[in-house]
Amino acid sequence: MSEYFGGVGVDATVGTDGGRSSGAHDLVSLVVPFYNEADGIETFFREVTPVLERIPGIDYEIVCVNDGSADSTLERLLAVCADNPRVRVVDLSRNFGKEAALTAGIDEAQGAAVIPFDADLQDPPEAIARLVQRWREGFDVVLAKRAERNTDTYMKRGTAALFYRVHNAISETTIPENAGDFRLMSRQVVDALKQLPENRRFMKGLFSWVGFRTAQIEYERLPRTAGETKFSAWKLWNFALEGLTSFGTWPLRVWTYIGGGTALFAIAYAIYLALRTMIRGVDVPGYASIITAVLFLGGTQLIGIGVIGEYIGRIYMESKRRPVYIVRRVYRQGAS
Protein backbone atom coordinates (compact mmCIF):
# COMPACT_ATOMS: atom_id res chain seq x y z
CA MET A 1 0.00 0.00 0.00
CA SER A 2 1.20 3.50 -0.70
CA GLU A 3 0.11 6.77 0.88
CA TYR A 4 0.26 10.22 -0.67
CA PHE A 5 -1.38 13.61 -0.83
CA GLY A 6 -3.03 13.94 -4.22
CA GLY A 7 -4.71 16.33 -6.56
CA VAL A 8 -2.43 19.37 -6.52
CA GLY A 9 -0.66 20.80 -9.55
CA VAL A 10 -0.23 17.63 -11.58
CA ASP A 11 2.51 18.23 -14.15
CA ALA A 12 2.21 16.44 -17.47
CA THR A 13 3.73 16.57 -20.91
CA VAL A 14 1.32 16.33 -23.79
CA GLY A 15 2.26 13.61 -26.23
CA THR A 16 2.03 13.68 -30.00
CA ASP A 17 1.03 10.14 -30.84
CA GLY A 18 -2.69 10.55 -30.20
CA GLY A 19 -2.63 7.89 -27.48
CA ARG A 20 -2.06 4.85 -29.70
CA SER A 21 0.58 2.53 -28.36
CA SER A 22 3.10 1.00 -30.71
CA GLY A 23 3.11 -2.27 -28.72
CA ALA A 24 1.18 -5.39 -29.49
CA HIS A 25 -1.31 -4.69 -26.70
CA ASP A 26 -2.61 -1.30 -25.60
CA LEU A 27 -3.36 -0.77 -21.92
CA VAL A 28 -6.91 0.52 -21.43
CA SER A 29 -7.84 1.97 -18.03
CA LEU A 30 -11.42 1.78 -16.78
CA VAL A 31 -11.96 4.48 -14.12
CA VAL A 32 -14.91 3.78 -11.80
CA PRO A 33 -15.97 5.98 -8.86
CA PHE A 34 -17.76 4.08 -6.07
CA TYR A 35 -19.89 5.69 -3.38
CA ASN A 36 -21.99 3.36 -1.22
CA GLU A 37 -22.23 0.77 -4.00
CA ALA A 38 -21.52 -2.34 -1.90
CA ASP A 39 -24.61 -4.21 -3.09
CA GLY A 40 -23.63 -3.94 -6.74
CA ILE A 41 -19.89 -4.63 -6.64
CA GLU A 42 -20.11 -8.38 -7.25
CA THR A 43 -22.45 -7.85 -10.20
CA PHE A 44 -20.25 -5.07 -11.55
CA PHE A 45 -17.11 -7.20 -11.82
CA ARG A 46 -19.06 -10.24 -13.02
CA GLU A 47 -20.41 -8.19 -15.93
CA VAL A 48 -17.44 -5.97 -16.77
CA THR A 49 -14.40 -8.24 -16.48
CA PRO A 50 -15.43 -10.80 -19.16
CA VAL A 51 -16.23 -7.99 -21.59
CA LEU A 52 -12.77 -6.45 -21.16
CA GLU A 53 -11.09 -9.83 -21.53
CA ARG A 54 -12.87 -10.45 -24.84
CA ILE A 55 -11.61 -7.25 -26.49
CA PRO A 56 -8.72 -8.33 -28.75
CA GLY A 57 -5.35 -6.61 -28.60
CA ILE A 58 -5.65 -4.86 -25.25
CA ASP A 59 -4.53 -5.24 -21.68
CA TYR A 60 -6.71 -3.56 -19.12
CA GLU A 61 -6.77 -2.20 -15.62
CA ILE A 62 -9.76 -1.18 -13.50
CA VAL A 63 -9.10 1.83 -11.28
CA CYS A 64 -11.74 1.85 -8.55
CA VAL A 65 -12.10 5.06 -6.53
CA ASN A 66 -13.77 4.70 -3.14
CA ASP A 67 -15.25 8.15 -2.57
CA GLY A 68 -15.63 8.00 1.20
CA SER A 69 -18.27 5.27 1.22
CA ALA A 70 -20.05 4.68 4.54
CA ASP A 71 -21.01 1.06 3.78
CA SER A 72 -18.81 -1.97 3.02
CA THR A 73 -17.80 -0.74 -0.45
CA LEU A 74 -14.09 -0.49 0.42
CA GLU A 75 -13.93 -3.94 1.97
CA ARG A 76 -15.60 -5.54 -1.04
CA LEU A 77 -13.34 -3.68 -3.46
CA LEU A 78 -10.28 -4.84 -1.53
CA ALA A 79 -11.50 -8.43 -1.73
CA VAL A 80 -11.67 -8.13 -5.52
CA CYS A 81 -8.29 -6.39 -5.62
CA ALA A 82 -6.69 -9.23 -3.68
CA ASP A 83 -7.82 -11.73 -6.33
CA ASN A 84 -7.31 -9.67 -9.48
CA PRO A 85 -3.97 -7.98 -10.24
CA ARG A 86 -5.65 -5.76 -12.82
CA VAL A 87 -7.77 -4.04 -10.16
CA ARG A 88 -6.43 -1.05 -8.23
CA VAL A 89 -8.33 0.73 -5.45
CA VAL A 90 -7.86 4.42 -4.71
CA ASP A 91 -9.32 5.19 -1.27
CA LEU A 92 -10.10 8.87 -0.73
CA SER A 93 -9.91 10.34 2.78
CA ARG A 94 -13.59 11.36 2.69
CA ASN A 95 -16.47 11.91 0.28
CA PHE A 96 -15.31 14.58 -2.17
CA GLY A 97 -18.05 14.08 -4.77
CA LYS A 98 -18.13 12.34 -8.12
CA GLU A 99 -16.22 15.01 -10.04
CA ALA A 100 -13.29 14.83 -7.59
CA ALA A 101 -13.40 11.02 -7.51
CA LEU A 102 -13.34 10.91 -11.29
CA THR A 103 -10.35 13.26 -11.30
CA ALA A 104 -8.53 11.02 -8.80
CA GLY A 105 -9.14 7.97 -10.97
CA ILE A 106 -7.98 9.71 -14.14
CA ASP A 107 -4.82 10.89 -12.37
CA GLU A 108 -4.11 7.33 -11.20
CA ALA A 109 -4.85 5.62 -14.54
CA GLN A 110 -1.85 4.48 -16.55
CA GLY A 111 -3.47 3.35 -19.77
CA ALA A 112 -2.92 4.55 -23.31
CA ALA A 113 -6.70 5.08 -23.26
CA VAL A 114 -8.87 5.95 -20.25
CA ILE A 115 -12.61 5.26 -19.96
CA PRO A 116 -14.68 6.79 -17.12
CA PHE A 117 -17.43 4.34 -16.21
CA ASP A 118 -20.29 4.27 -13.69
CA ALA A 119 -20.56 1.53 -11.08
CA ASP A 120 -24.33 1.19 -11.53
CA LEU A 121 -23.94 -0.52 -14.95
CA GLN A 122 -26.46 1.78 -16.62
CA ASP A 123 -23.81 2.20 -19.29
CA PRO A 124 -23.53 -1.25 -20.93
CA PRO A 125 -20.02 -2.75 -20.72
CA GLU A 126 -20.45 -4.14 -24.25
CA ALA A 127 -20.14 -0.60 -25.59
CA ILE A 128 -16.50 -0.43 -24.43
CA ALA A 129 -15.37 -2.56 -27.38
CA ARG A 130 -16.98 -0.07 -29.78
CA LEU A 131 -15.17 2.81 -28.06
CA VAL A 132 -11.85 1.01 -28.43
CA GLN A 133 -12.54 0.29 -32.10
CA ARG A 134 -13.15 3.96 -32.93
CA TRP A 135 -10.06 4.96 -30.93
CA ARG A 136 -7.99 2.59 -33.03
CA GLU A 137 -9.32 4.35 -36.12
CA GLY A 138 -7.42 7.44 -34.99
CA PHE A 139 -9.84 9.39 -32.79
CA ASP A 140 -8.57 10.89 -29.54
CA VAL A 141 -12.01 11.08 -27.91
CA VAL A 142 -14.91 8.70 -28.49
CA LEU A 143 -18.18 9.84 -26.91
CA ALA A 144 -20.86 7.39 -25.86
CA LYS A 145 -24.17 9.13 -26.54
CA ARG A 146 -27.48 7.88 -25.20
CA ALA A 147 -29.85 7.04 -28.03
CA GLU A 148 -32.82 7.43 -25.67
CA ARG A 149 -33.40 8.48 -22.05
CA ASN A 150 -36.16 5.95 -21.37
CA THR A 151 -34.70 5.01 -17.98
CA ASP A 152 -35.14 8.58 -16.74
CA THR A 153 -38.35 10.12 -15.46
CA TYR A 154 -40.24 12.58 -17.64
CA MET A 155 -39.17 15.43 -15.37
CA LYS A 156 -35.51 14.45 -15.51
CA ARG A 157 -35.58 14.14 -19.31
CA GLY A 158 -37.14 17.58 -19.61
CA THR A 159 -34.77 19.31 -17.21
CA ALA A 160 -31.75 17.62 -18.81
CA ALA A 161 -32.79 18.81 -22.26
CA LEU A 162 -33.34 22.32 -20.90
CA PHE A 163 -29.91 22.33 -19.24
CA TYR A 164 -28.11 21.34 -22.44
CA ARG A 165 -29.97 23.98 -24.46
CA VAL A 166 -29.30 26.75 -21.96
CA HIS A 167 -25.70 25.78 -21.34
CA ASN A 168 -24.78 25.53 -25.01
CA ALA A 169 -26.55 28.80 -25.76
CA ILE A 170 -24.67 30.83 -23.15
CA SER A 171 -21.37 28.98 -22.75
CA GLU A 172 -18.19 29.31 -24.73
CA THR A 173 -17.78 25.51 -24.53
CA THR A 174 -20.41 23.28 -26.11
CA ILE A 175 -21.34 20.08 -24.28
CA PRO A 176 -22.66 17.25 -26.50
CA GLU A 177 -26.29 16.57 -25.60
CA ASN A 178 -27.09 13.25 -23.90
CA ALA A 179 -23.41 12.38 -23.51
CA GLY A 180 -22.33 11.75 -19.93
CA ASP A 181 -18.93 10.90 -18.49
CA PHE A 182 -18.85 7.56 -20.34
CA ARG A 183 -16.31 8.03 -23.14
CA LEU A 184 -12.83 6.99 -24.20
CA MET A 185 -9.94 9.45 -24.02
CA SER A 186 -6.47 8.90 -25.38
CA ARG A 187 -3.40 9.44 -23.23
CA GLN A 188 -2.83 12.77 -24.98
CA VAL A 189 -6.27 13.98 -23.90
CA VAL A 190 -5.77 12.71 -20.34
CA ASP A 191 -2.42 14.50 -20.06
CA ALA A 192 -4.10 17.70 -21.24
CA LEU A 193 -6.86 17.30 -18.64
CA LYS A 194 -4.28 16.83 -15.89
CA GLN A 195 -2.81 20.24 -16.71
CA LEU A 196 -6.06 22.07 -15.95
CA PRO A 197 -5.62 23.68 -12.52
CA GLU A 198 -9.14 24.46 -11.29
CA ASN A 199 -10.42 22.96 -8.04
CA ARG A 200 -14.15 23.23 -8.77
CA ARG A 201 -14.34 20.77 -11.62
CA PHE A 202 -17.28 20.32 -13.97
CA MET A 203 -15.91 17.30 -15.80
CA LYS A 204 -18.30 17.25 -18.76
CA GLY A 205 -17.22 20.80 -19.55
CA LEU A 206 -13.52 20.04 -19.08
CA PHE A 207 -13.78 17.01 -21.36
CA SER A 208 -15.24 19.24 -24.08
CA TRP A 209 -12.93 22.20 -23.44
CA VAL A 210 -9.71 20.29 -24.21
CA GLY A 211 -11.02 19.43 -27.67
CA PHE A 212 -9.13 16.91 -29.87
CA ARG A 213 -10.44 14.77 -32.69
CA THR A 214 -13.77 13.31 -31.59
CA ALA A 215 -16.10 10.55 -32.73
CA GLN A 216 -19.23 9.18 -31.10
CA ILE A 217 -21.24 6.02 -30.77
CA GLU A 218 -24.83 5.57 -29.61
CA TYR A 219 -26.04 3.11 -27.00
CA GLU A 220 -29.13 2.24 -24.98
CA ARG A 221 -28.88 3.17 -21.32
CA LEU A 222 -29.97 0.45 -18.90
CA PRO A 223 -31.67 0.54 -15.47
CA ARG A 224 -29.48 0.44 -12.37
CA THR A 225 -28.44 -3.06 -11.30
CA ALA A 226 -28.50 -2.22 -7.57
CA GLY A 227 -28.84 0.65 -5.13
CA GLU A 228 -30.25 4.10 -5.74
CA THR A 229 -28.99 7.21 -7.47
CA LYS A 230 -26.93 9.53 -5.28
CA PHE A 231 -28.13 12.63 -7.14
CA SER A 232 -31.19 14.21 -5.55
CA ALA A 233 -33.12 16.98 -7.30
CA TRP A 234 -31.28 19.55 -5.16
CA LYS A 235 -27.86 18.11 -6.06
CA LEU A 236 -28.78 18.07 -9.73
CA TRP A 237 -29.85 21.73 -9.51
CA ASN A 238 -26.53 22.71 -7.91
CA PHE A 239 -24.69 20.60 -10.48
CA ALA A 240 -26.46 22.49 -13.25
CA LEU A 241 -25.50 25.84 -11.68
CA GLU A 242 -21.91 24.62 -11.52
CA GLY A 243 -21.99 23.87 -15.22
CA LEU A 244 -23.64 27.16 -16.19
CA THR A 245 -21.08 29.25 -14.30
CA SER A 246 -17.95 27.22 -15.09
CA PHE A 247 -17.51 27.99 -18.76
CA GLY A 248 -18.77 31.48 -19.42
CA THR A 249 -19.68 34.86 -17.95
CA TRP A 250 -23.02 35.28 -19.70
CA PRO A 251 -25.00 35.09 -16.41
CA LEU A 252 -22.99 38.15 -15.29
CA ARG A 253 -23.12 39.96 -18.62
CA VAL A 254 -26.87 39.63 -18.95
CA TRP A 255 -27.39 41.91 -15.96
CA THR A 256 -25.75 44.74 -17.91
CA TYR A 257 -28.54 44.40 -20.46
CA ILE A 258 -31.23 44.02 -17.79
CA GLY A 259 -29.93 47.14 -16.02
CA GLY A 260 -29.74 49.07 -19.29
CA GLY A 261 -33.24 47.98 -20.29
CA THR A 262 -34.63 48.96 -16.88
CA ALA A 263 -32.94 52.36 -17.07
CA LEU A 264 -34.37 53.01 -20.55
CA PHE A 265 -37.82 51.99 -19.33
CA ALA A 266 -37.47 54.37 -16.37
CA ILE A 267 -36.45 57.25 -18.65
CA ALA A 268 -39.32 56.56 -21.03
CA TYR A 269 -41.78 56.38 -18.13
CA ALA A 270 -40.42 59.66 -16.70
CA ILE A 271 -40.97 61.36 -20.06
CA TYR A 272 -44.49 59.95 -20.19
CA LEU A 273 -45.28 61.27 -16.71
CA ALA A 274 -43.89 64.70 -17.57
CA LEU A 275 -45.97 64.92 -20.76
CA ARG A 276 -49.09 63.67 -19.01
CA THR A 277 -48.66 66.24 -16.24
CA MET A 278 -48.28 69.06 -18.73
CA ILE A 279 -51.35 67.97 -20.65
CA ARG A 280 -53.68 66.77 -17.91
CA GLY A 281 -52.31 68.46 -14.80
CA VAL A 282 -51.01 67.00 -11.56
CA ASP A 283 -52.67 63.94 -10.05
CA VAL A 284 -51.89 61.80 -6.99
CA PRO A 285 -50.12 58.56 -7.98
CA GLY A 286 -51.40 55.34 -6.46
CA TYR A 287 -49.68 53.38 -3.75
CA ALA A 288 -49.97 50.09 -5.67
CA SER A 289 -47.93 51.29 -8.62
CA ILE A 290 -45.18 52.59 -6.33
CA ILE A 291 -44.86 49.43 -4.25
CA THR A 292 -44.94 47.27 -7.36
CA ALA A 293 -42.08 49.22 -8.92
CA VAL A 294 -40.06 49.12 -5.70
CA LEU A 295 -40.53 45.38 -5.26
CA PHE A 296 -39.73 44.68 -8.90
CA LEU A 297 -36.51 46.69 -8.85
CA GLY A 298 -35.52 45.31 -5.45
CA GLY A 299 -36.06 41.73 -6.59
CA THR A 300 -34.11 42.35 -9.79
CA GLN A 301 -31.20 43.79 -7.83
CA LEU A 302 -31.16 40.86 -5.41
CA ILE A 303 -31.11 38.34 -8.25
CA GLY A 304 -28.21 40.23 -9.84
CA ILE A 305 -26.35 40.30 -6.52
CA GLY A 306 -26.94 36.54 -6.21
CA VAL A 307 -25.39 35.87 -9.61
CA ILE A 308 -22.40 38.05 -8.74
CA GLY A 309 -22.13 36.20 -5.43
CA GLU A 310 -22.03 32.86 -7.25
CA TYR A 311 -19.01 33.97 -9.26
CA ILE A 312 -17.31 35.59 -6.26
CA GLY A 313 -17.81 32.35 -4.36
CA ARG A 314 -16.07 30.45 -7.15
CA ILE A 315 -13.17 32.94 -7.08
CA TYR A 316 -12.97 32.56 -3.29
CA MET A 317 -12.85 28.76 -3.45
CA GLU A 318 -10.30 28.72 -6.27
CA SER A 319 -8.06 31.25 -4.48
CA LYS A 320 -7.60 28.83 -1.56
CA ARG A 321 -5.81 26.38 -3.90
CA ARG A 322 -6.99 23.39 -1.92
CA PRO A 323 -6.46 20.00 -3.58
CA VAL A 324 -9.31 18.52 -5.56
CA TYR A 325 -9.08 15.38 -3.44
CA ILE A 326 -6.88 13.68 -0.84
CA VAL A 327 -5.90 10.05 -1.26
CA ARG A 328 -5.69 8.01 1.93
CA ARG A 329 -4.25 4.87 0.34
CA VAL A 330 -3.85 3.13 -2.97
CA TYR A 331 -4.33 -0.64 -2.83
CA ARG A 332 -2.98 -3.07 -5.39
CA GLN A 333 -2.31 -6.77 -5.32
CA GLY A 334 1.02 -7.58 -3.73
CA ALA A 335 1.60 -4.03 -2.36
CA SER A 336 2.71 -3.69 1.22
Side-chain angles (χ1 to χ4, degrees):
M1 295 178 290
S2 60
E3 300 186 22
Y4 62 91
F5 180 75
V8 187
V10 179
D11 219 2
T13 302
V14 177
T16 58
D17 63 353
R20 261 68 71 197
S21 170
S22 59
H25 288 76
D26 296 306
L27 178 63
V28 174
S29 300
L30 200 67
V31 173
V32 191
F34 288 84
Y35 177 60
N36 294 341
E37 298 284 358
D39 293 340
I41 288 176
E42 182 180 348
T43 302
F44 174 83
F45 285 99
R46 186 173 63 246
E47 296 289 333
V48 170
T49 304
V51 171
L52 293 173
E53 291 177 346
R54 287 196 299 267
I55 300 176
I58 72 162
D59 290 326
Y60 71 89
E61 64 173 3
I62 303 177
V63 181
C64 305
V65 183
N66 177 45
D67 188 21
S69 298
D71 61 4
S72 60
T73 293
L74 178 60
E75 290 75 13
R76 298 193 182 194
L77 287 175
L78 293 182
V80 176
C81 180
D83 292 333
N84 190 339
R86 289 189 172 95
V87 175
R88 197 153 71 255
V89 179
V90 180
D91 184 27
L92 302 188
S93 63
R94 64 170 176 85
N95 177 242
F96 286 89
K98 184 181 178 182
E99 306 299 280
L102 196 56
T103 301
I106 290 173
D107 288 345
E108 179 68 21
Q110 300 173 1
V114 176
I115 303 174
F117 196 77
D118 287 343
D120 56 19
L121 291 179
Q122 286 193 274
D123 301 325
E126 291 76 15
I128 295 174
R130 297 167 59 199
L131 296 178
V132 172
Q133 179 183 356
R134 298 308 306 273
W135 170 58
R136 284 174 168 166
E137 292 172 5
F139 293 98
D140 296 292
V141 178
V142 187
L143 299 175
K145 183 178 179 181
R146 304 175 194 176
E148 300 287 345
R149 299 186 68 108
N150 295 330
T151 57
D152 294 338
T153 64
Y154 177 79
M155 178 64 71
K156 190 172 182 179
R157 289 198 300 269
T159 53
L162 178 62
F163 167 75
Y164 284 115
R165 282 198 295 268
V166 173
H167 182 279
N168 292 337
I170 69 176
S171 176
E172 299 170 1
T173 301
T174 300
I175 297 178
E177 191 168 350
N178 292 329
D181 296 326
F182 183 34
R183 65 190 66 206
L184 182 148
M185 298 174 291
S186 71
R187 173 51 53 181
Q188 186 179 9
V189 177
V190 170
D191 288 344
L193 279 172
K194 291 166 70 173
Q195 294 184 67
L196 303 182
E198 56 255 59
N199 297 67
R200 300 282 295 271
R201 302 176 76 80
F202 180 66
M203 296 304 291
K204 290 184 183 65
L206 295 180
F207 291 153
S208 297
W209 186 87
V210 295
F212 293 94
R213 191 177 179 213
T214 302
Q216 71 176 31
I217 66 169
E218 289 193 348
Y219 72 100
E220 297 288 341
R221 193 164 169 83
L222 306 173
R224 286 181 64 94
T225 57
E228 297 179 353
T229 179
K230 309 304 185 296
F231 281 95
S232 63
W234 179 247
K235 287 184 178 180
L236 287 173
W237 166 251
N238 287 321
F239 186 64
L241 285 181
E242 190 79 17
L244 292 175
T245 56
S246 290
F247 290 90
T249 58
W250 185 89
L252 284 174
R253 188 180 302 123
V254 70
W255 290 100
T256 302
Y257 300 106
I258 291 175
T262 303
L264 289 175
F265 175 79
I267 293 171
Y269 189 62
I271 294 172
Y272 164 75
L273 290 178
L275 292 175
R276 191 183 70 172
T277 300
M278 287 187 293
I279 296 172
R280 301 177 56 183
V282 179
D283 60 357
V284 179
Y287 171 79
S289 60
I290 293 176
I291 195 65
T292 300
V294 170
L295 290 175
F296 172 76
L297 292 176
T300 302
Q301 289 169 346
L302 289 174
I303 294 173
I305 291 172
V307 174
I308 294 172
E310 179 71 25
Y311 278 88
I312 291 175
R314 294 183 63 85
I315 296 170
Y316 172 69
M317 296 305 296
E318 291 289 340
S319 68
K320 292 176 179 290
R321 304 313 303 156
R322 290 174 178 167
V324 179
Y325 58 88
I326 298 174
V327 173
R328 190 177 72 88
R329 282 177 181 160
V330 176
Y331 299 86
R332 55 176 60 84
Q333 191 185 69
S336 59

